[in-house]
Short mmCIF file of all heavy atoms in Angstrom, two decimals:
data_model
loop_
_atom_site.label_atom_id
_atom_site.label_comp_id
_atom_site.label_asym_id
_atom_site.label_seq_id
_atom_site.Cartn_x
_atom_site.Cartn_y
_atom_site.Cartn_z
N TYR A 28 0.80 -1.22 0.00
CA TYR A 28 0.00 0.00 0.00
C TYR A 28 0.84 1.28 0.00
O TYR A 28 0.42 2.28 -0.57
CB TYR A 28 -0.92 0.03 1.23
CG TYR A 28 -1.89 -1.13 1.29
CD1 TYR A 28 -1.72 -2.15 2.22
CD2 TYR A 28 -2.97 -1.19 0.42
CE1 TYR A 28 -2.61 -3.21 2.28
CE2 TYR A 28 -3.87 -2.25 0.47
CZ TYR A 28 -3.67 -3.26 1.41
OH TYR A 28 -4.55 -4.32 1.45
N PHE A 29 1.98 1.25 0.65
CA PHE A 29 2.79 2.46 0.84
C PHE A 29 4.20 2.26 0.30
O PHE A 29 4.75 1.16 0.36
CB PHE A 29 2.86 2.82 2.33
CG PHE A 29 1.52 3.11 2.95
CD1 PHE A 29 0.83 2.12 3.63
CD2 PHE A 29 0.94 4.36 2.83
CE1 PHE A 29 -0.41 2.38 4.21
CE2 PHE A 29 -0.30 4.63 3.39
CZ PHE A 29 -0.98 3.64 4.08
N PRO A 30 4.83 3.33 -0.20
CA PRO A 30 6.19 3.22 -0.73
C PRO A 30 7.21 3.13 0.41
O PRO A 30 6.94 3.51 1.55
CB PRO A 30 6.37 4.54 -1.49
CG PRO A 30 5.49 5.50 -0.76
CD PRO A 30 4.29 4.71 -0.33
N TRP A 31 8.40 2.63 0.08
CA TRP A 31 9.49 2.62 1.06
C TRP A 31 9.77 4.05 1.53
O TRP A 31 9.71 5.00 0.77
CB TRP A 31 10.76 2.04 0.44
CG TRP A 31 10.77 0.55 0.30
CD1 TRP A 31 10.60 -0.17 -0.85
CD2 TRP A 31 10.96 -0.40 1.34
NE1 TRP A 31 10.67 -1.52 -0.58
CE2 TRP A 31 10.90 -1.70 0.76
CE3 TRP A 31 11.18 -0.31 2.72
CZ2 TRP A 31 11.05 -2.87 1.48
CZ3 TRP A 31 11.33 -1.48 3.46
CH2 TRP A 31 11.26 -2.73 2.84
N SER A 32 10.10 4.17 2.79
CA SER A 32 10.36 5.48 3.38
C SER A 32 11.74 6.01 3.00
O SER A 32 12.73 5.27 3.01
CB SER A 32 10.25 5.40 4.90
OG SER A 32 10.61 6.64 5.48
N LYS A 33 11.80 7.30 2.73
CA LYS A 33 13.09 7.93 2.46
C LYS A 33 13.96 7.95 3.71
O LYS A 33 15.19 8.07 3.62
CB LYS A 33 12.90 9.36 1.96
CG LYS A 33 12.33 10.32 3.00
CD LYS A 33 12.25 11.74 2.47
CE LYS A 33 11.72 12.71 3.53
NZ LYS A 33 11.64 14.10 3.03
N CYS A 34 13.35 7.81 4.88
CA CYS A 34 14.11 7.84 6.13
C CYS A 34 15.04 6.64 6.27
O CYS A 34 16.02 6.71 7.02
CB CYS A 34 13.16 7.91 7.33
SG CYS A 34 12.10 9.36 7.35
N ILE A 35 14.75 5.56 5.55
CA ILE A 35 15.61 4.39 5.63
C ILE A 35 16.47 4.21 4.38
O ILE A 35 17.59 3.69 4.45
CB ILE A 35 14.80 3.09 5.91
CG1 ILE A 35 15.73 1.94 6.26
CG2 ILE A 35 13.89 2.74 4.74
CD1 ILE A 35 16.54 2.15 7.52
N SER A 36 15.98 4.68 3.23
CA SER A 36 16.73 4.46 1.99
C SER A 36 17.31 5.75 1.39
O SER A 36 18.12 5.69 0.47
CB SER A 36 15.84 3.79 0.95
OG SER A 36 14.79 4.66 0.56
N GLY A 37 16.88 6.90 1.90
CA GLY A 37 17.35 8.17 1.37
C GLY A 37 16.46 8.76 0.31
O GLY A 37 16.56 9.95 0.00
N LYS A 38 15.55 7.96 -0.25
CA LYS A 38 14.63 8.44 -1.27
C LYS A 38 13.34 7.65 -1.16
O LYS A 38 13.36 6.42 -1.14
CB LYS A 38 15.24 8.27 -2.67
CG LYS A 38 14.34 8.77 -3.79
CD LYS A 38 15.01 8.57 -5.15
CE LYS A 38 14.12 9.07 -6.28
NZ LYS A 38 14.75 8.87 -7.61
N GLN A 39 12.22 8.36 -1.11
CA GLN A 39 10.95 7.66 -1.00
C GLN A 39 10.73 6.75 -2.20
O GLN A 39 10.92 7.15 -3.35
CB GLN A 39 9.78 8.64 -0.87
CG GLN A 39 8.48 7.95 -0.50
CD GLN A 39 7.32 8.92 -0.31
OE1 GLN A 39 6.62 9.25 -1.26
NE2 GLN A 39 7.13 9.37 0.93
N GLY A 40 10.34 5.51 -1.91
CA GLY A 40 10.09 4.53 -2.95
C GLY A 40 11.28 3.64 -3.26
O GLY A 40 11.15 2.61 -3.93
N LYS A 41 12.46 4.02 -2.76
CA LYS A 41 13.66 3.23 -3.01
C LYS A 41 13.78 2.10 -2.00
O LYS A 41 13.74 2.32 -0.79
CB LYS A 41 14.91 4.11 -2.94
CG LYS A 41 16.21 3.36 -3.20
CD LYS A 41 17.41 4.29 -3.06
CE LYS A 41 18.72 3.54 -3.26
NZ LYS A 41 19.90 4.42 -3.08
N ASN A 42 13.93 0.88 -2.48
CA ASN A 42 14.07 -0.29 -1.62
C ASN A 42 15.43 -0.25 -0.93
O ASN A 42 16.46 -0.18 -1.60
CB ASN A 42 13.95 -1.56 -2.47
CG ASN A 42 13.85 -2.82 -1.63
OD1 ASN A 42 14.37 -2.89 -0.52
ND2 ASN A 42 13.18 -3.83 -2.16
N PRO A 43 15.48 -0.32 0.39
CA PRO A 43 16.78 -0.26 1.08
C PRO A 43 17.57 -1.55 0.96
O PRO A 43 18.74 -1.60 1.35
CB PRO A 43 16.37 0.00 2.54
CG PRO A 43 15.03 -0.61 2.67
CD PRO A 43 14.36 -0.38 1.34
N GLY A 44 16.93 -2.61 0.46
CA GLY A 44 17.62 -3.89 0.31
C GLY A 44 17.46 -4.81 1.49
O GLY A 44 18.00 -5.92 1.52
N PHE A 45 16.70 -4.40 2.47
CA PHE A 45 16.40 -5.23 3.63
C PHE A 45 15.10 -4.73 4.24
O PHE A 45 14.60 -3.65 3.89
CB PHE A 45 17.53 -5.20 4.66
CG PHE A 45 17.85 -3.83 5.20
CD1 PHE A 45 17.31 -3.39 6.41
CD2 PHE A 45 18.71 -2.97 4.52
CE1 PHE A 45 17.60 -2.13 6.90
CE2 PHE A 45 19.01 -1.70 5.01
CZ PHE A 45 18.46 -1.28 6.21
N ASP A 46 14.53 -5.51 5.15
CA ASP A 46 13.26 -5.17 5.78
C ASP A 46 13.52 -4.71 7.22
O ASP A 46 13.72 -5.53 8.11
CB ASP A 46 12.33 -6.39 5.77
CG ASP A 46 10.92 -6.07 6.23
OD1 ASP A 46 10.76 -5.20 7.10
OD2 ASP A 46 9.97 -6.71 5.73
N PRO A 47 13.56 -3.40 7.47
CA PRO A 47 13.86 -2.91 8.81
C PRO A 47 12.93 -3.44 9.90
O PRO A 47 13.39 -3.80 10.98
CB PRO A 47 13.73 -1.39 8.66
CG PRO A 47 13.98 -1.13 7.23
CD PRO A 47 13.38 -2.30 6.51
N LEU A 48 11.63 -3.47 9.63
CA LEU A 48 10.70 -3.91 10.66
C LEU A 48 10.93 -5.38 11.03
O LEU A 48 10.91 -5.74 12.21
CB LEU A 48 9.25 -3.71 10.19
CG LEU A 48 8.17 -4.12 11.21
CD1 LEU A 48 8.37 -3.42 12.54
CD2 LEU A 48 6.77 -3.83 10.65
N LYS A 49 11.19 -6.21 10.05
CA LYS A 49 11.47 -7.61 10.32
C LYS A 49 12.69 -7.76 11.22
O LYS A 49 12.70 -8.55 12.18
CB LYS A 49 11.69 -8.36 9.00
CG LYS A 49 11.90 -9.86 9.16
CD LYS A 49 12.05 -10.53 7.80
CE LYS A 49 12.27 -12.04 7.95
NZ LYS A 49 12.41 -12.68 6.61
N ILE A 50 13.73 -7.00 10.94
CA ILE A 50 14.95 -7.05 11.74
C ILE A 50 14.68 -6.52 13.15
O ILE A 50 15.11 -7.13 14.15
CB ILE A 50 16.07 -6.23 11.07
CG1 ILE A 50 16.52 -6.92 9.78
CG2 ILE A 50 17.26 -6.05 12.02
CD1 ILE A 50 17.48 -6.10 8.94
N MET A 51 13.95 -5.43 13.25
CA MET A 51 13.68 -4.83 14.56
C MET A 51 12.87 -5.77 15.45
O MET A 51 13.13 -5.89 16.65
CB MET A 51 12.98 -3.49 14.39
CG MET A 51 13.88 -2.42 13.80
SD MET A 51 13.17 -0.74 13.79
CE MET A 51 11.90 -0.90 12.54
N ILE A 52 11.90 -6.45 14.87
CA ILE A 52 11.10 -7.41 15.64
C ILE A 52 11.97 -8.54 16.14
O ILE A 52 11.90 -8.93 17.32
CB ILE A 52 9.94 -7.95 14.78
CG1 ILE A 52 8.92 -6.84 14.50
CG2 ILE A 52 9.26 -9.13 15.47
CD1 ILE A 52 7.88 -7.21 13.46
N SER A 53 12.81 -9.07 15.27
CA SER A 53 13.69 -10.18 15.63
C SER A 53 14.63 -9.79 16.77
O SER A 53 14.80 -10.53 17.75
CB SER A 53 14.49 -10.62 14.41
OG SER A 53 15.44 -11.62 14.75
N VAL A 54 15.24 -8.62 16.66
CA VAL A 54 16.19 -8.16 17.68
C VAL A 54 15.48 -7.89 19.00
O VAL A 54 15.96 -8.28 20.08
CB VAL A 54 16.94 -6.91 17.19
CG1 VAL A 54 17.75 -6.29 18.32
CG2 VAL A 54 17.84 -7.25 16.01
N ALA A 55 14.35 -7.21 18.94
CA ALA A 55 13.62 -6.88 20.16
C ALA A 55 13.20 -8.15 20.90
O ALA A 55 13.45 -8.29 22.11
CB ALA A 55 12.39 -6.02 19.83
N HIS A 56 12.59 -9.07 20.21
CA HIS A 56 12.11 -10.29 20.86
C HIS A 56 13.26 -11.16 21.36
O HIS A 56 13.14 -11.81 22.41
CB HIS A 56 11.21 -11.07 19.90
CG HIS A 56 9.86 -10.42 19.71
ND1 HIS A 56 8.98 -10.80 18.72
CD2 HIS A 56 9.24 -9.43 20.40
CE1 HIS A 56 7.88 -10.07 18.80
NE2 HIS A 56 8.02 -9.23 19.80
N ALA A 57 14.36 -11.18 20.64
CA ALA A 57 15.53 -11.96 21.07
C ALA A 57 16.10 -11.42 22.37
O ALA A 57 16.74 -12.14 23.13
CB ALA A 57 16.60 -11.94 19.98
N ASN A 58 15.84 -10.15 22.64
CA ASN A 58 16.33 -9.51 23.86
C ASN A 58 15.24 -9.34 24.91
O ASN A 58 15.39 -8.56 25.86
CB ASN A 58 16.96 -8.17 23.53
CG ASN A 58 18.32 -8.31 22.88
OD1 ASN A 58 19.34 -8.45 23.56
ND2 ASN A 58 18.36 -8.31 21.55
N GLY A 59 14.13 -10.05 24.73
CA GLY A 59 13.06 -10.02 25.72
C GLY A 59 12.30 -8.72 25.80
O GLY A 59 11.77 -8.35 26.84
N MET A 60 12.24 -7.99 24.68
CA MET A 60 11.56 -6.71 24.66
C MET A 60 10.40 -6.73 23.68
O MET A 60 10.51 -7.28 22.59
CB MET A 60 12.53 -5.59 24.28
CG MET A 60 11.92 -4.19 24.32
SD MET A 60 13.15 -2.88 24.06
CE MET A 60 13.96 -2.85 25.66
N LYS A 61 9.27 -6.17 24.07
CA LYS A 61 8.13 -6.05 23.17
C LYS A 61 8.39 -4.91 22.18
O LYS A 61 9.20 -4.03 22.42
CB LYS A 61 6.85 -5.79 23.95
CG LYS A 61 6.38 -6.99 24.77
CD LYS A 61 5.03 -6.73 25.42
CE LYS A 61 4.55 -7.98 26.15
NZ LYS A 61 3.20 -7.78 26.76
N ILE A 62 7.65 -4.96 21.08
CA ILE A 62 7.84 -3.95 20.04
C ILE A 62 6.49 -3.56 19.45
O ILE A 62 5.66 -4.42 19.14
CB ILE A 62 8.82 -4.43 18.95
CG1 ILE A 62 9.06 -3.34 17.91
CG2 ILE A 62 8.34 -5.72 18.31
CD1 ILE A 62 10.22 -3.65 16.97
N GLU A 63 6.27 -2.26 19.31
CA GLU A 63 5.04 -1.74 18.72
C GLU A 63 5.36 -0.96 17.46
O GLU A 63 6.38 -0.25 17.40
CB GLU A 63 4.30 -0.84 19.72
CG GLU A 63 3.85 -1.59 20.98
CD GLU A 63 3.03 -0.71 21.91
OE1 GLU A 63 2.65 0.41 21.51
OE2 GLU A 63 2.78 -1.15 23.05
N ALA A 64 4.49 -1.08 16.46
CA ALA A 64 4.66 -0.37 15.19
C ALA A 64 3.90 0.95 15.26
O ALA A 64 2.68 0.97 15.45
CB ALA A 64 4.15 -1.23 14.04
N TRP A 65 4.62 2.03 15.07
CA TRP A 65 4.09 3.39 15.23
C TRP A 65 3.80 4.01 13.87
O TRP A 65 4.68 4.10 13.02
CB TRP A 65 5.11 4.19 16.02
CG TRP A 65 5.03 5.67 16.07
CD1 TRP A 65 3.97 6.47 15.78
CD2 TRP A 65 6.09 6.54 16.47
NE1 TRP A 65 4.30 7.79 15.97
CE2 TRP A 65 5.59 7.86 16.40
CE3 TRP A 65 7.41 6.34 16.90
CZ2 TRP A 65 6.38 8.96 16.72
CZ3 TRP A 65 8.17 7.44 17.22
CH2 TRP A 65 7.66 8.74 17.14
N ILE A 66 2.56 4.43 13.68
CA ILE A 66 2.17 5.05 12.41
C ILE A 66 1.58 6.44 12.64
O ILE A 66 0.99 6.72 13.68
CB ILE A 66 1.15 4.19 11.63
CG1 ILE A 66 -0.20 4.15 12.37
CG2 ILE A 66 1.67 2.78 11.39
CD1 ILE A 66 -1.33 3.55 11.55
N ASN A 67 1.79 7.32 11.67
CA ASN A 67 1.08 8.59 11.61
C ASN A 67 0.02 8.44 10.52
O ASN A 67 0.37 8.33 9.35
CB ASN A 67 2.03 9.73 11.28
CG ASN A 67 3.04 9.99 12.37
OD1 ASN A 67 4.22 9.73 12.22
ND2 ASN A 67 2.58 10.48 13.51
N PRO A 68 -1.24 8.39 10.87
CA PRO A 68 -2.26 8.03 9.88
C PRO A 68 -2.49 9.02 8.76
O PRO A 68 -2.61 8.63 7.60
CB PRO A 68 -3.52 7.87 10.75
CG PRO A 68 -3.28 8.69 11.97
CD PRO A 68 -1.80 8.60 12.21
N TYR A 69 -2.56 10.31 9.08
CA TYR A 69 -2.97 11.30 8.09
C TYR A 69 -1.82 12.07 7.43
O TYR A 69 -1.99 12.64 6.35
CB TYR A 69 -3.92 12.32 8.72
CG TYR A 69 -5.23 11.74 9.21
CD1 TYR A 69 -5.70 12.04 10.49
CD2 TYR A 69 -6.01 10.91 8.41
CE1 TYR A 69 -6.91 11.54 10.96
CE2 TYR A 69 -7.22 10.41 8.86
CZ TYR A 69 -7.66 10.71 10.14
OH TYR A 69 -8.86 10.21 10.60
N ARG A 70 -0.67 12.12 8.07
CA ARG A 70 0.42 12.95 7.55
C ARG A 70 1.05 12.34 6.29
O ARG A 70 1.47 11.18 6.28
CB ARG A 70 1.49 13.12 8.63
CG ARG A 70 2.59 14.09 8.25
CD ARG A 70 3.49 14.39 9.43
NE ARG A 70 4.24 13.23 9.91
CZ ARG A 70 5.00 13.22 11.00
NH1 ARG A 70 5.09 14.31 11.73
NH2 ARG A 70 5.64 12.14 11.36
#
């Protein structure tokens, strides 16, 4: 539904070559920490 964020790849729509959320979930859970996905709905 949404393009890749420029905040991770430097340009909106550009694939960074990895999935940040997948990595963040794996790291958080491996360290016994919960993780929530934060969205800004209208901006």
Side-chain angles (χ1 to χ4, degrees):
Y28 300 108
F29 299 96
W31 284 105
S32 175
K33 67 176 182 179
C34 299
I35 191 63
S36 66
K38 181 180 180 181
Q39 190 177 89
K41 180 182 178 182
N42 190 331
F45 60 96
D46 188 326
L48 181 54
K49 184 178 180 180
I50 292 172
M51 291 188 289
I52 292 170
S53 175
V54 170
H56 287 168
N58 285 276
M60 184 173 284
K61 291 186 176 182
I62 183 169
E63 298 184 10
W65 165 17
I66 68 169
N67 294 110
Y69 296 132
R70 186 171 65 186

